[in-house]
């Protein structure tokens, strides 16, 4: 099997070159070609000696997963569906805004954590994505957007767009990033590396449902901005809708958030809160949230539930969301409400479905239970 160079960070590539008897600076040159120039064909790497290019042609590839589908919605939101093996697909979404371009990246095929309102969670779990499959989402988006002739919809940030269409990455696609820790950390390192994409730590966000020990490890290994999927203000309710809460309950999660902030590039945690009509959207819940997060510098991102077939949930009414938001704002919190983008291509970030051939046996079990 040839080595897929998208699987290696600069350190790994340098080690691999050393094994081949090549100088470390050659690894840096090739790394630039791959990530900064988007070149997959070694023949085009013109400042590399011909003999080395031929060697690379035999031993290596730059191989992103095949793209099954790419589409742009009316508001400029872009979506790619990547083929990651038999009956499996993962999605990546690019959301252009006035002052930034955000790429929403997937980390796993499916997810094992079974949050009840999440279509990924309902589909079961197949496998972790490789480093190549994670970084390829940025590689494809960055280089295809960069070379696009018509970027009117992406014309954000005077000048910035020309060489950097993707300014922000959020790990909010399919999967729980901290459950695929090593691969995600290596991929994050490539995103931040000035020899590759050079994204700022403040503009790369990991979103987690609250895997406490992995949050501590992330703080140590690669402190980027952190979003925590809270979704409930008390353990009884969170146990039901975010089952990992039974393992890492709210008091532990809040303590982990405080510890994370010691290392974080930003001085707040973003709490994501999916609003589920009649479940977690009452004024009383907002008041409990204020109590819960008293000692954690944070912002709230309220996300109207994105419905999917047979979910059993509904999105709240606009005025219910307004009341909830105002209670938090009156208590001094910064609250954003996520706009739904790319509706016509079903690409609202964090609500990506993809296709999962479940391997955990969980989907079958659930179907039996529902049939009974
Ligand atoms: N596993 C990680 C990251 C992926 S999900 C996490 O849970 O944080 C990204 C965000 O989308 C999370 O906050 C998640 O709870 C939210 N989300 C999942 N399903 C949703 C739905 N149907 N409607 C709205 N938001 C949803
Ligand atoms: Fe997994 Fe996140 Fe969906 Fe929960 S919300 S099932 S952690 S992807």
């Amino acid at each position: 099997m040839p080595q897929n160079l998208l699987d290696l960070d600069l350190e790994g590539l340098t080690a691999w070159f050393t094994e081949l008897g090549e100088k470390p600076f050659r690894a840096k040159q090739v790394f630039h070609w791959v990530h900064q120039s988007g070149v997959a064909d070694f023949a085009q790497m013109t400042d590399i000696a011909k003999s080395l290019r031929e060697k690379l042609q035999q031993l290596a590839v730059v191989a992103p997963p095949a793209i099954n589908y790419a589409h742009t919605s009316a508001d400029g939101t872009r979506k790619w569906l990547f083929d990651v093996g038999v009956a499996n697909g993962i999605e990546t979404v690019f959301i252009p805004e006035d002052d930034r371009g955000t790429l929403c990246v997937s980390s796993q095929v499916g997810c094992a954590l079974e949050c009840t309102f999440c279509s990924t969670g309902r589909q079961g779990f197949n496998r972790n994505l490789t480093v190549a499959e994670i970084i390829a989402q940025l590689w494809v988006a960055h280089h295809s957007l960069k070379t696009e002739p018509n970027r009117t919809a992406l014309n954000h940030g005077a000048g910035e767009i020309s060489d950097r269409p993707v300014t922000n990455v959020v790990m909010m696609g399919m999967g729980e990033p901290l459950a695929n820790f090593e691969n995600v950390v290596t991929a994050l390192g490539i995103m931040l590396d000035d020899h590759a994409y050079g994204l700022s730590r403040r503009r790369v966000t990991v979103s987690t449902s609250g895997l406490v020990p992995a949050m501590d490890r992330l703080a140590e290994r690669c402190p980027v901005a952190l979003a925590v999927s809270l979704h409930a203000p008390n353990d009884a309710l969170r146990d039901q809708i975010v089952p990992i809460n039974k393992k890492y309950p709210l008091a532990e999660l809040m303590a982990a958030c405080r510890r994370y902030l010691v290392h974080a590039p930003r001085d707040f945690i973003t709490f994501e809160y999916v609003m589920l009509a009649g479940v977690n959207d009452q004024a009383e819940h907002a008041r409990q949230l204020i109590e819960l997060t008293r000692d954690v510098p944070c912002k709230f991102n309220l996300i109207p539930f994105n419905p999917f077939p047979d979910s059993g949930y509904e999105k709240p009414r606009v005025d219910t969301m307004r009341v909830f938001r105002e209670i938090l704002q009156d208590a001094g919190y910064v609250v954003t409400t996520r706009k739904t983008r790319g509706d016509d291509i079903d690409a609202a970030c964090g609500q990506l479905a993809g296709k999962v051939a479940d391997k955990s046996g969980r989907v079958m079990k659930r179907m039996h239970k529902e049939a009974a």
Side-chain angles (χ1 to χ4, degrees):
M1 277 280 270
Q3 171 69 49
N4 188 353
L5 300 193
L6 291 176
D7 261 320
L8 302 174
D9 59 10
L10 184 53
E11 200 186 327
L13 190 65
T14 307
W16 190 75
F17 268 59
T18 309
E19 265 172 48
L20 290 184
E22 298 291 339
K23 296 266 187 314
F25 82 95
R26 292 285 175 214
K28 203 174 276 175
Q29 279 178 309
V30 170
F31 200 68
H32 284 174
W33 276 112
V34 172
H35 293 290
Q36 296 189 336
S37 308
V39 169
D41 176 4
F42 298 115
Q44 287 178 31
M45 300 183 181
T46 45
D47 59 357
I48 310 281
K50 193 145 177 269
S51 57
L52 175 55
R53 278 189 263 158
E54 281 167 3
K55 203 161 151 188
L56 288 172
Q57 254 148 7
Q58 282 173 9
L59 300 175
V61 285
V62 178
I67 298 169
N68 271 346
Y69 169 93
H71 191 77
T72 309
S73 78
D75 64 9
T77 303
R78 185 76 59 104
K79 173 171 160 177
W80 294 265
L81 184 68
F82 290 94
D83 181 349
V84 287
V86 184
N88 284 304
I90 50 141
E91 290 178 323
T92 307
V93 170
F94 176 70
I95 305 154
E97 287 175 279
D98 290 345
D99 58 347
R100 73 186 85 172
T102 304
L103 192 71
C104 180
V105 169
S106 294
S107 56
Q108 298 183 305
V109 187
C111 182
L113 295 186
E114 305 191 50
C115 301
T116 52
F117 52 83
C118 172
S119 99
T120 302
R122 290 281 185 98
Q123 289 189 72
F125 177 69
N126 188 282
R127 66 174 174 85
N128 283 331
L129 293 180
T130 62
V131 174
E133 288 164 336
I134 299 169
I135 205 67
Q137 298 171 63
L138 177 57
W139 189 82
V140 165
H142 179 82
H143 295 292
S144 62
L145 292 165
K146 212 166 118 176
T147 51
E148 218 147 80
N150 179 7
R151 289 198 305 258
T152 46
L154 319 172
N155 213 3
H156 54 73
E160 195 161 27
I161 185 66
S162 55
D163 59 344
R164 194 176 279 197
V166 178
T167 59
N168 295 48
V169 169
V170 292
M171 300 296 302
M172 292 185 186
M174 193 183 251
E176 166 52 51
L178 296 186
N180 182 12
F181 189 83
E182 287 303 327
N183 292 350
V184 165
V185 163
T186 303
L188 292 174
I190 301 172
M191 295 174 194
L192 302 178
D193 192 336
D194 284 337
H195 295 291
Y197 304 91
L199 293 175
S200 124
R201 279 180 196 284
R202 301 158 57 87
R203 288 172 173 269
V204 174
T205 301
V206 164
S207 175
T208 179
S209 55
L211 300 188
V212 164
M215 287 164 64
D216 288 325
R217 280 192 286 147
L218 186 69
E220 235 171 73
R221 295 272 303 278
C222 191
V224 291
L226 189 69
V228 172
S229 292
L230 202 51
H231 309 323
N234 60 63
D235 282 321
L237 184 52
R238 196 163 190 267
D239 282 353
Q240 281 174 30
I241 62 180
V242 184
I244 194 69
N245 193 68
K246 292 181 202 145
K247 199 162 177 193
Y248 305 115
L250 285 169
E252 283 184 37
L253 182 58
M254 292 303 117
C257 289
R258 281 195 297 274
R259 290 195 296 277
Y260 193 86
L261 283 171
V262 176
H263 303 271
R266 290 186 179 271
D267 54 9
F268 60 90
I269 301 282
T270 302
F271 286 124
E272 293 162 278
Y273 197 94
V274 173
M275 304 283 292
L276 306 165
V279 176
N280 65 354
D281 65 343
Q282 301 299 302
E284 176 204 338
H285 296 124
R287 286 192 287 268
Q288 288 176 18
L289 277 179
I290 295 168
E291 202 51 49
L292 176 72
T293 59
R294 196 165 285 279
D295 300 326
V296 184
C298 63
K299 292 185 180 175
F300 275 93
N301 185 17
L302 304 181
I303 314 167
F305 171 64
N306 186 42
F308 56 91
D310 302 322
S311 72
Y313 293 110
E314 281 170 32
K315 68 164 97 166
R317 292 158 44 134
V318 174
D319 52 345
T320 313
M321 284 198 63
R322 185 177 42 76
V323 170
F324 197 94
R325 191 182 61 232
E326 283 173 1
I327 293 173
L328 294 174
Q329 282 171 333
D330 289 347
Y333 288 83
V334 173
V335 184
T336 51
T337 306
R338 187 183 287 170
K339 283 177 284 185
T340 312
R341 296 283 304 267
D343 268 358
D344 54 332
I345 53 168
D346 195 17
C349 190
Q351 295 148 43
L352 309 184
K355 280 185 297 164
V356 180
D358 175 59
K359 270 194 171 171
S360 62
R362 174 148 61 75
V363 171
M364 281 309 284
K365 260 186 262 152
R366 199 185 62 234
M367 279 159 59
H368 283 305
K369 215 159 69 192
E370 276 164 12

